[in-house]
Amino acid sequence: MGCQPSAAPPQTPPETPPQASAQASPQASPQAPPKVYRKEVVVAGSPFQGVHGMAVDGKGHLLASNLLGQTVHSVDLKSGAVSTLVGPPLGGADDVTLGPDGSVYWTGYFSGQLMRRTPDGKTHIIAKDLPGLNSLAFRRDGRLYITQLGRGDTLWEADPEGKKPPRKILSPVGFLNGFEFGKDDRLYGPILLKGQIVRMDVDTGKMEPVAEGFAMPTAVNFDARKEHLYVVDAARGELVRVRLPKGSKEVVAKLPTGLDNLAVGPDDQVYVSNMVDNDIRVVNPADGSVRPLVEARLSVPSGLAVAPEDPDEQLYVADVYAFRRVGGRDGKINQTTRVLSTRLNFPMNVSLSAKHVVLSTAYLGGHSSVQVLDRASGELLRTIPTPNGAQGALELPDGTLLIAEASTGKLVRIDNAEPAKTTVLTEGLSGPVGLVADTEAKEPAVYVTEVGSGKVTRVRLSDGSRQTVASDLRAPEGIARHPDGGLIVAEVGRKQLVRIDPATGQSTVLASDLPIGLPESEGLPPGYIPTGVAVGRSGTIYVSSDIESALYRFVPAP
């Protein structure tokens, strides 16, 4: 996500007009006459960056957790209006619940922290050093239980006051996700690795299956009388009612795939979150009808690409929970490939070659990879695990892949053999994030943004030698080449878009006061959710907004 590293030296931002459009300096480049850019919306934003766990507060609101946006929200159940209860960086919640005294508790998947907001509005860390902290629930007697998932596989009992360290109950569990306690004080929850719902005695750790045959059950919740369970199946897009004690199943509603969690109100209305569609829907279990509560069009737009020969300037969008194709001119979403129900791995960056789309993700905990897709059909051709995380990724003319590892500071090559062989092109970079190729030059090279050092660096492909093109930037992330030869960079630390002349390093502000740059968070590599930049053949510049989950374009004035 767009961050402003403390390692970057303090700089005074250059003087820019307060509007989103800015006049470029006539000294920018002899090849690039000054232009005025008009800011336009391609796809409007959303209050969430993927919505996950939820809890009904009994006061007409729904608490909703927003992991990547690092916030806990309150949603009005009548109007769907969304407000922020806890903002970044402390609000990075994967799941949320209410304690007996009205305190709000949530889990920080990346930070590994269990958080509490007391009724007086104060926020406290009550447990830490639990990477992959995921789900939580209270038992009737006030005991609190939490799980690690992905970066761990453990069920813990936590002290709601934070005075005692967590106590391990069971490990491994089999990836226990969103769980609840029944009237019998047994834990009921989905075991992802087995596709089943189990009942557990938390005092002994003994588990037994309640219902089976799910594709990917991600969460359960009891109805208002705590007699039957509702289950969301993310891969099938189903809300299923499990009748206890026999465990018979009934599909209540068919929804889009990507379901993450659910909450049941006192009137038995079921609130279902979908992280792919970044929305919350309400299901009436009496008749299976579905209505929207909070809607969105994108989830977490980050990396962008556009084919230089495309007159329609169709955008390829790495939307973290989906890969989408969006009309650059009309904002129409033309194609969506979803995580969980396909083999897609949480795309954060995207690039294009003549025949392929290359997607990469810096997600740690088993999901980090580079994936190669056929541009024409969208078929997934190749998945290469990248244990160090992958930021920018390019396919070079000879078919090899070039990967930026922000966490190690390396650029690595991955050949097109099976199994793939990896070699280091260069190392010692400070948070490499964005890549753009210059393979037609006399000495083919790649330009790299270094989010930690504030540099744009040119790396020669033949031997890995480096040359600083521009410095004194703040957290540069996305980068693209303009048809006039200039480099367009999202300078996230100053919330602006700049053009850099690759020959002179001259930097020109094109737009400022942009809604980019979520604050950095513990446990995340540099530039975790990158601000994407792409340039169409018309010279229109496209930028993703992590803060607003939106897409913008900057159109050059005639």
Side-chain angles (χ1 to χ4, degrees):
M1 64 192 55
C3 59
Q4 186 169 333
S6 56
Q11 302 290 337
T12 302
E15 299 250 344
T16 59
Q19 297 85 4
S21 297
Q23 176 75 42
S25 165
Q27 287 80 31
S29 167
Q31 300 172 341
K35 285 185 174 68
V36 173
Y37 284 86
R38 184 178 67 254
K39 179 183 175 184
E40 298 177 347
V41 176
V42 179
V43 178
S46 159
F48 305 126
Q49 288 81 15
V51 60
H52 304 283
M54 299 176 295
V56 178
D57 70 357
K59 300 176 182 178
H61 293 86
L62 181 72
L63 302 178
S65 55
N66 180 354
L67 176 62
L68 296 182
Q70 306 175 62
T71 46
V72 178
H73 296 283
S74 178
V75 183
D76 187 291
L77 293 180
K78 291 183 178 179
S79 67
V82 180
S83 58
T84 299
L85 187 67
V86 182
L90 293 178
D94 193 270
D95 200 1
V96 62
T97 195
L98 284 161
D101 68 344
S103 291
V104 180
Y105 292 81
W106 65 94
T107 51
Y109 182 88
F110 298 113
S111 67
Q113 296 175 341
L114 176 62
M115 308 295 297
R116 178 190 185 194
R117 184 182 188 268
T118 51
D120 60 6
K122 295 181 180 178
T123 299
H124 309 270
I125 300 171
I126 62 172
K128 56 184 180 179
D129 300 324
L130 295 169
L133 198 57
N134 189 277
S135 298
L136 76 170
F138 278 90
R139 207 164 78 162
R140 287 190 303 168
D141 58 6
R143 292 165 67 181
L144 175 61
Y145 294 84
I146 56 178
T147 60
Q148 288 172 281
L149 190 150
R151 293 180 167 186
D153 185 17
T154 305
L155 173 67
W156 302 83
E157 181 179 357
D159 178 6
E161 301 290 330
K163 296 177 180 178
K164 299 176 183 178
R167 180 175 67 92
K168 184 183 292 188
I169 302 296
L170 185 65
S171 183
V173 189
F175 287 6
L176 172 65
N177 209 5
F179 60 91
E180 290 291 329
F181 282 90
K183 290 190 294 186
D184 57 2
D185 283 338
R186 297 296 192 263
L187 180 155
Y188 291 76
I191 302 298
L192 292 183
L193 296 185
K194 295 183 178 180
Q196 63 181 200
I197 308 301
V198 300
R199 173 172 46 227
M200 179 194 299
D201 184 332
V202 294
D203 293 322
T204 65
K206 182 181 178 181
M207 280 194 302
E208 59 181 351
V210 171
E212 300 182 282
F214 295 92
M216 187 179 291
T218 51
V220 308
N221 214 308
F222 279 93
D223 61 13
R225 291 180 292 179
K226 284 190 175 290
E227 292 181 350
H228 304 301
L229 276 174
Y230 289 107
V231 182
V232 286
D233 190 321
R236 292 178 179 157
E238 294 176 344
L239 175 66
V240 180
R241 180 164 44 216
V242 176
R243 298 189 179 275
L244 300 178
K246 292 185 178 180
S248 60
K249 299 186 300 182
E250 173 192 4
V251 176
V252 175
K254 186 72 177 177
L255 299 149
T257 61
L259 307 180
D260 188 87
N261 218 308
L262 76 164
V264 182
D267 57 357
D268 262 341
Q269 298 296 290
V270 184
Y271 301 90
V272 180
S273 65
N274 188 314
M275 63 184 184
V276 175
D277 292 326
N278 200 17
D279 65 13
I280 300 173
R281 305 183 194 205
V282 188
V283 179
N284 182 349
D287 58 12
S289 60
V290 182
R291 63 177 175 85
L293 180 64
V294 182
E295 296 182 274
R297 298 187 62 216
L298 298 172
S299 50
V300 197
S302 48
L304 300 178
V306 60
E309 72 279 3
D310 181 8
D312 296 325
E313 299 188 358
Q314 179 177 224
L315 295 171
Y316 295 72
V317 183
D319 204 15
V320 179
Y321 299 119
F323 167 56
R324 308 187 200 267
R325 297 190 187 188
V326 179
R329 300 188 185 278
D330 59 13
K332 182 180 177 181
I333 297 175
N334 301 308
Q335 176 191 329
T336 297
T337 305
R338 312 165 78 87
V339 301
L340 302 184
S341 57
T342 72
R343 293 182 292 158
L344 188 69
N345 261 356
F346 301 100
M348 295 178 179
N349 292 273
V350 58
S351 65
L352 303 178
S353 64
K355 296 182 178 180
H356 299 144
V357 178
V358 180
L359 301 173
S360 56
T361 177
Y363 245 125
L364 303 178
H367 292 295
S368 181
S369 67
V370 174
Q371 296 187 303
V372 180
L373 286 69
D374 184 276
R375 258 180 74 175
S377 68
E379 178 187 358
L380 178 60
L381 304 175
R382 191 180 181 203
T383 297
I384 304 132
T386 52
N388 294 324
Q391 283 284 12
L394 297 173
E395 185 178 49
L396 300 174
D398 64 359
T400 62
L401 299 171
L402 187 65
I403 312 300
E405 294 183 350
S407 59
T408 67
K410 297 177 181 177
L411 288 188
V412 300
R413 288 179 182 265
I414 300 176
D415 65 22
N416 53 11
E418 290 292 345
K421 180 183 177 182
T422 300
T423 56
V424 176
L425 175 63
T426 192
E427 55 189 339
L429 301 169
S430 183
V433 172
L435 297 178
V436 65
D438 185 15
T439 53
E440 297 177 359
K442 182 178 180 181
E443 294 182 333
V446 63
Y447 293 98
V448 187
T449 57
E450 297 184 51
V451 70
S453 65
K455 295 179 180 178
V456 173
T457 302
R458 190 175 194 272
V459 180
R460 193 160 59 188
L461 294 176
S462 60
D463 58 7
S465 61
R466 303 199 300 261
Q467 173 190 359
T468 298
V469 175
S471 58
D472 296 336
L473 302 172
R474 281 190 184 170
E477 292 182 354
I479 184 171
R481 295 195 73 185
H482 194 280
D484 66 16
L487 301 173
I488 309 300
V489 176
E491 191 182 5
V492 174
R494 291 192 176 106
K495 298 185 181 296
Q496 61 189 20
L497 192 65
V498 298
R499 179 191 184 277
I500 295 171
D501 187 320
T504 66
Q506 176 86 31
S507 178
T508 306
V509 176
L510 303 180
S512 58
D513 298 322
L514 303 182
I516 58 176
L518 286 167
E520 62 180 289
S521 181
E522 269 188 78
L524 300 180
Y528 185 68
I529 296 180
T531 294
V533 177
V535 184
R537 61 185 292 180
S538 68
T540 297
I541 302 169
Y542 299 91
V543 179
S544 62
S545 167
D546 53 357
I547 290 177
E548 295 182 350
S549 295
L551 291 181
Y552 290 95
R553 61 176 165 244
F554 294 86
V555 182

